[in-house]
Amino acid sequence: MFKSGVKEETEANFQADEDRQRLLSLETENILKSAGTSRLNRILDQPHINRVSYVPDTGNYLERGPEFNERYKPKHKQLKVEIQNPNDEVEVGKYVAKVVIPQLKVDTRSIGGTVKNKKNMIQETLVSMKCRNFELMSDKDAISQSALEYPNQYAKHKRSLGFGGGTKIRNKIKYVFLVRSTNSPLLSPKEKEASDHRRGYTVDSDDEMDDEESYDRMFRPEEEGQDDEGKDDDAGKEENEEVSSFPVLVCMSLNPDGTDPDVMKLVELDQLTTVQNISAGGATVLQLVFSDGDTVKLDFAVEESPDVAEVPTATMRKERFVWSLLQIHAMLCTSVVERNSLGSRTNQGSNQKDRLLQPLNVRNLDRAELQYVATVNGFLRDSSALCYLLDRQRDIGSGQHAEMRAFEEDEKKDEMDGIAYDMMMGNFSTRVAIYHSADERADAEEVLNATHFEAGIGEEDSAADILASKLQDRMRELEAETCMRLIAWEDEKHFSFLGQNPYERESEDAMSLGNLFRTLDLLDNELETMEEWLHNRAAVIKPLTDDCRDIEEENRQLEQQWKSYEVLSEELRRLLTGVGIPKQSEKVLNNPASALVYSADGSIDIEASESGVDKIHLAGKALKDAMENAKRAGGVHLRAVNERVEQLVKMSSVFCTALAQIIVTVMEQIKTLVMVASDNGKVSKSDTHAIIAKKIRDTQRKFQSSLLGYMKLIEILSLLKPVLLEAIRDAYSEMVAEGILMKKRMKGYFQALPGKNAAYLNLISKDLKDYHPIFENHEQNSTVNATDISSALSELLPVIAREAYFTAALFGLSSKQMDGREKKRNFESAKRSVDHSTQYFRYYIQRTCGIVQDVEDPSQLITPKLKGDPMLSLVASIHLNEAMEQYIDREKKGGDHSLSLAYVRATILGLRKKVDKQWVEWIEEQIEWVKSHPGVPLNGKRAGIFASFSRFPTYLDHILLCCREGKPPNYTPDFSKIQVISYYLQKLAGSLLESLRQCSERETTDQQYAANVMRMENSYHFSQQIKDRGPEISALFSKQLAKSSAICKQSTDAYLGWMIKREFKALHTLFSQISRIRRDVGDKDVPIHIPRATFVKTLQKESNREVMKEKIATIYARMEKHLSEEGKLLQVAWKALVKVLYEWFGRWEKLSTQCYKHVLEPSAVDVVRLAKQKAGGSIINKQKFSTAVEAIKLANQQNGVKSRNSNVMRKVSKKK
């Protein structure tokens, strides 16, 4: 019975498992057949270049094909350090060592050249000096490939850092450096600790070397039995030993802003053969010649044309560089090569001349004087690197260690100058390895101390002979002592065998020698007998020994094989353990849909599946970690590991495909649920634009908040297979365009705006000539529905910004760790996706802004004027510019927020470019119309205010009216801050003044007065109309106002002068002659040339009160005839004329009084009164006439009556 119960329970469990599997397969099938999966498959089937968010990028690792290997990626990236001060030699030197110069090759003759393990190599700048120029006088390669450790990677190194000279810029900063590669930089301990992080920039790291060594031991078991301790000791010695390359000379140019460093020359310093001071090029020129024929000429005059006072400074810079160059060459090249070559035991028999460097020739330079200059000016004090090198050179010369001479620190500074002098003069000691132990050195010291040289013997040959004879005598004594010791030993052995010593003697005799010889013969016989016995026995036991040797060898090989297999098994266990995945995670990876919760209809339960999302996320992380472990641990070439990795790759491909289908299916379900909740985007007639905008924001918020729980899936997909993210992003943008920002809802929103989005229906442009000179009432209603633009931008741009932010955050497009190129590519990709999501918004906002869609065939236009309303384009540009101020990234935090703001700015700029293009085209057409001088007569007479001048202020009034729509009445936009608008409005105003100039200078224009009247009236009208429209408009046209004021003043002075000269011709001629004669002969002699009677007669005829009134009335009538009523310049011009009359008559009155003692009647004051009376109380001023001709006739009639009355009065006076 118990067995039957267990059997039934087992069958029930089995049946439950089958039902669960059937349900899971059904749910998986539902996902495969869902609308989201169909959308994803459709996008994946499209060509890559036809997708929505496709951005071409040749540098993407994902598109390099299967032959791309991960090991070719750069393992270490140098930091791009910016130069804050490009004129600081120390800072530039550190930058060059850290970033610019790659690792240099270590020659076998250099320091540590025979060390195999060259780890932790960094670059170090020994000398950094700014120069005026350097000239390369050879056709050799600029970069010496033999100086580089990895010459094949130098081009890649330059490209990765963005070097190569950049754009051609004048006045580049030139530098010359001495740089080397070393594992022991010349730095203080603190600086060494700070620079330890840079030692990671090597070809192979420690971990990689350890992995390679363990891998080598696995496949080289025969070397496992060697002495490990000896290896460790040797490795420790090599690790602590200094390894340095020969210094190299680097010539580099740099932009003044610290960008684009360009290495012009790189050559080894051990190849230097000649240092020459060029006297022909000045005191600052130095020439370096190398063994391969390269020649570098350096000029250390930093200024292009230095003053006389700066020449010593430049000369000192050159001497400092030469001194440093000679010191470094002596210590790090010549001394090192001689010490390593002569001291090496392996090179004692080799050709040492080929290994030594060529002697360095110094021309036109005194080394002793140069060292004196260096000592006096403290060159050594300013160079810590040379101090350290000289200190080390002293250690080499004295054979002492640093700890043995701690008490000599006080004397170090005094010795440095002497050592530097020895280095300069070439008197450095070459240390040859003569003694191999401390005992040998002690014996040599004892011999030398026991040698007494005779007084007066100072030649080297005599001293050498005496020392040689002493050494020979010492050798004979040692041989005699050795023989005596052997004899005594033999006697002692013989007598100890006998047990007695019959000869108690202190010296050895001939008997002892005979006993010694007999003993030696007996020993020889015994040895021969023993050898013969061993030879006979060896033939007998040779088969046995051979068998034993074979057995021992086989046992040793078996033991070694067992150890190798054990190491291999441990390594395989480690490798396979790293690529293992837990069973529960592997189950989720095989079918990620099994981790989700489903509803009754087979769809995914969005809220209940969040725990399953965590399971999928953990499983994906486990898969990613396993693949990373396989990559880091190595061993992929092993069959077991390779098979496991291939399984992981296949599992990853299946998992990512299923995961992408799940993500898109979830998006599709959320979109459907959200749209059903918002009534599928329907817009009722009672909905206002604010209500519709709120619905759009609520729908967007619900959709995005529901997707936040599934961001982990997208994160895993970006880690395992980022190629699929592009298709998912395209599917997401399509869903947004079909749901949140669907066409029906966007159309309803824009139709609910105050202007009903009807601005695009009236796209016929209104030209400047169509405006009325007076802004009439019917034109005040000709607005462009600017409130539609401001409402759409203020209510929907936040929606667009949120969409861009969520797209960047959802798909990880704004990581701060990316470089500039990757960030730009991601921004372009995000922009294309969001553009597709907001396509209907952009379509309707373009119509609202009056943007005419591009038409391929211009003949399709209904009328040529159907190019968009220019006023609507202008107002849209102003509103777009104001909207952009709210989306400027002032905090510059980076990340998703900055990307969303950048997208909104790009959208606004795109719209502004289109509206500005339409408006600018209209402005150019109006400028052409202005240049045609419409309505201006050929002779220029009675031209009045030009049509272009009279309509331009009306156009400005129309602009202000349209901009103030929906704004306060006194609102005026600041046009001067909008560059495009301010530039083309000023250009249009400038074309008006240019047209005025051309009309006034035409050949057909009357130059007597018409040209001046034309300029005077129009420039005055322009100035007054601009000033009447407020300070903002005046500030916008400030340049044109200044120019028009100057034109008005100049033309007014010329016109008034012409009027006075014409009406007072006799007086002007008379006083002009008097002024000229007075200037030549003086006041007293003027009456001689022009008699007083003639002068008085002319005055009585031309300057009496009645004649003056007539002439002033004639001038007024003529001015009223010349000036138009619309110009409103008559009163202003008459006031200016009164002022000129007062100045002229005042000057004439002064000449009359000084030369003839005659009082001018009427005086200048009387003339001004007469002119004012004419302007204020004349019949002409009080009456209104239809034409100026009638006014002139009436003036002539009045002048005729007055003249007749004056004649009658004269006759009556004569009769009396």
Side-chain angles (χ1 to χ4, degrees), residues 105-153:
K105 185 177 182 180
V106 179
D107 193 89
T108 56
R109 300 173 296 172
S110 182
I111 300 175
T114 57
V115 176
K116 296 181 180 180
N117 188 11
K118 298 180 178 63
K119 290 184 179 180
N120 302 329
M121 300 294 291
I122 64 173
Q123 284 61 255
E124 181 184 26
T125 301
L126 302 175
V127 175
S128 175
M129 191 79 67
K130 188 194 298 184
C131 62
R132 174 187 173 185
N133 192 14
F134 43 78
E135 183 180 358
L136 310 177
M137 299 182 295
S138 64
D139 54 354
K140 304 290 183 181
D141 293 337
I143 308 299
S144 177
Q145 300 296 322
S146 59
L148 304 178
E149 181 70 20
Y150 308 102
N152 297 331
Q153 299 181 6

Side-chain angles (χ1 to χ4, degrees), residues 422-459:
D422 292 336
M423 294 297 102
M424 180 65 62
M425 305 304 296
N427 297 332
F428 49 89
S429 59
T430 302
R431 308 299 302 170
V432 182
I434 300 176
Y435 310 110
H436 303 295
S437 64
D439 295 337
E440 292 184 4
R441 182 183 294 274
D443 291 341
E445 290 178 355
E446 181 181 356
V447 173
L448 292 176
N449 292 332
T451 303
H452 301 283
F453 297 99
E454 297 180 2
I457 300 179
E459 288 110 6

Side-chain angles (χ1 to χ4, degrees), residues 927-1071:
I927 291 175
E928 294 298 327
W929 175 74
V930 171
K931 290 181 180 179
S932 64
H933 319 304
V936 180
L938 294 178
N939 58 3
K941 295 181 179 180
R942 298 183 183 180
I945 304 300
F946 292 178
S948 56
F949 276 83
S950 62
R951 285 157 176 77
F952 180 69
T954 307
Y955 175 67
L956 294 180
D957 293 337
H958 194 194
I959 292 176
L960 294 176
L961 176 65
C962 294
C963 292
R964 289 169 180 169
E965 185 180 2
K967 302 282 186 179
N970 58 350
Y971 168 77
T972 301
D974 192 356
F975 296 107
S976 59
K977 292 184 178 180
I978 309 176
Q979 296 182 356
V980 176
I981 296 177
S982 62
Y983 173 78
Y984 279 96
L985 283 178
Q986 292 174 7
K987 186 177 181 181
L988 181 58
S991 67
L992 295 176
L993 300 178
E994 179 64 20
S995 171
L996 178 61
R997 185 192 64 82
Q998 294 177 1
C999 290
S1000 63
E1001 294 179 356
R1002 286 189 302 191
E1003 296 180 356
T1004 58
T1005 302
D1006 179 36
Q1007 298 297 325
Q1008 286 187 351
Y1009 72 91
N1012 292 324
V1013 172
M1014 183 187 302
R1015 286 195 293 264
M1016 181 174 60
E1017 276 195 299
N1018 287 278
S1019 60
Y1020 177 77
H1021 180 269
F1022 178 83
S1023 300
Q1024 292 302 315
Q1025 293 296 325
I1026 295 298
K1027 291 178 181 178
D1028 292 343
R1029 277 152 182 81
E1032 292 84 0
I1033 301 298
S1034 300
L1036 175 63
F1037 298 104
S1038 58
K1039 295 182 180 179
Q1040 288 73 23
L1041 281 177
K1043 187 176 181 181
S1044 64
S1045 299
I1047 294 173
C1048 183
K1049 184 178 183 304
Q1050 181 182 3
S1051 57
T1052 302
D1053 293 342
Y1055 173 70
L1056 297 178
W1058 172 80
M1059 291 280 286
I1060 295 174
K1061 289 178 184 178
R1062 174 175 178 174
E1063 200 62 33
F1064 300 97
K1065 184 175 182 182
L1067 292 178
H1068 179 265
T1069 304
L1070 174 63
F1071 282 102

Side-chain angles (χ1 to χ4, degrees), residues 242-389:
E242 179 183 358
V243 179
S244 300
S245 67
F246 287 127
V248 295
L249 177 72
V250 180
C251 299
M252 190 187 77
S253 63
L254 191 69
N255 287 345
D257 58 350
T259 59
D260 292 335
D262 186 13
V263 178
M264 308 298 293
K265 188 67 177 178
L266 190 149
V267 61
E268 305 98 318
L269 199 62
D270 59 315
Q271 302 296 325
L272 182 64
T273 58
T274 304
V275 178
Q276 183 177 0
N277 183 20
I278 304 298
S279 58
T284 61
V285 182
L286 182 70
Q287 180 172 302
L288 305 178
V289 182
F290 297 87
S291 59
D292 58 351
D294 276 357
T295 302
V296 180
K297 186 181 291 186
L298 305 174
D299 187 358
F300 289 91
V302 179
E303 300 295 336
E304 292 294 334
S305 57
D307 298 333
V308 178
E310 295 182 356
V311 172
T313 304
T315 305
M316 188 67 65
R317 293 174 60 83
K318 184 200 70 173
E319 291 175 346
R320 182 188 297 272
F321 177 77
V322 174
W323 180 81
S324 303
L325 175 67
L326 295 178
Q327 293 287 344
I328 291 175
H329 185 272
M331 287 183 283
L332 296 182
C333 294
T334 307
S335 177
V336 171
V337 170
E338 291 186 7
R339 182 169 63 252
N340 292 344
S341 300
L342 298 178
S344 178
R345 297 182 183 180
T346 59
N347 296 330
Q348 294 295 332
S350 62
N351 189 4
Q352 298 177 3
K353 294 183 179 181
D354 295 338
R355 295 182 55 84
L356 298 179
L357 299 180
Q358 297 184 13
L360 181 62
N361 298 323
V362 181
R363 300 178 181 176
N364 299 333
L365 283 172
D366 189 353
R367 297 196 185 199
E369 182 179 356
L370 183 61
Q371 180 60 35
Y372 173 76
V373 172
T375 304
V376 171
N377 293 279
F379 290 175
L380 185 59
R381 181 180 62 253
D382 299 333
S383 178
S384 59
L386 286 176
C387 288
Y388 186 91
L389 289 175

Side-chain angles (χ1 to χ4, degrees), residues 666-703:
V666 169
M667 289 181 179
E668 193 76 34
Q669 286 188 211
I670 294 175
K671 184 203 77 170
T672 304
L673 295 175
V674 170
M675 292 309 299
V676 169
S678 62
D679 200 11
N680 290 324
K682 290 183 180 180
V683 178
S684 63
K685 295 182 179 180
S686 61
D687 290 344
T688 62
H689 62 91
I691 295 176
I692 299 174
K694 185 177 183 302
K695 289 182 178 179
I696 294 174
R697 290 193 296 270
D698 294 340
T699 305
Q700 183 188 44
R701 189 179 298 108
K702 291 178 182 178
F703 180 69

Side-chain angles (χ1 to χ4, degrees), residues 331 380 384-398 400-402 405 408-409 412-413 415-416 419-420 423:
M331 287 183 283
L380 185 59
S384 59
L386 286 176
C387 288
Y388 186 91
L389 289 175
L390 289 172
D391 192 8
R392 188 178 65 176
Q393 192 69 22
R394 182 181 64 173
D395 297 343
I396 297 173
S398 61
Q400 297 178 357
H401 298 284
R405 37 174 204 84
E408 298 179 358
E409 292 296 327
K412 181 187 296 184
K413 297 182 180 179
E415 297 178 359
M416 284 298 177
I419 299 174
M423 294 297 102

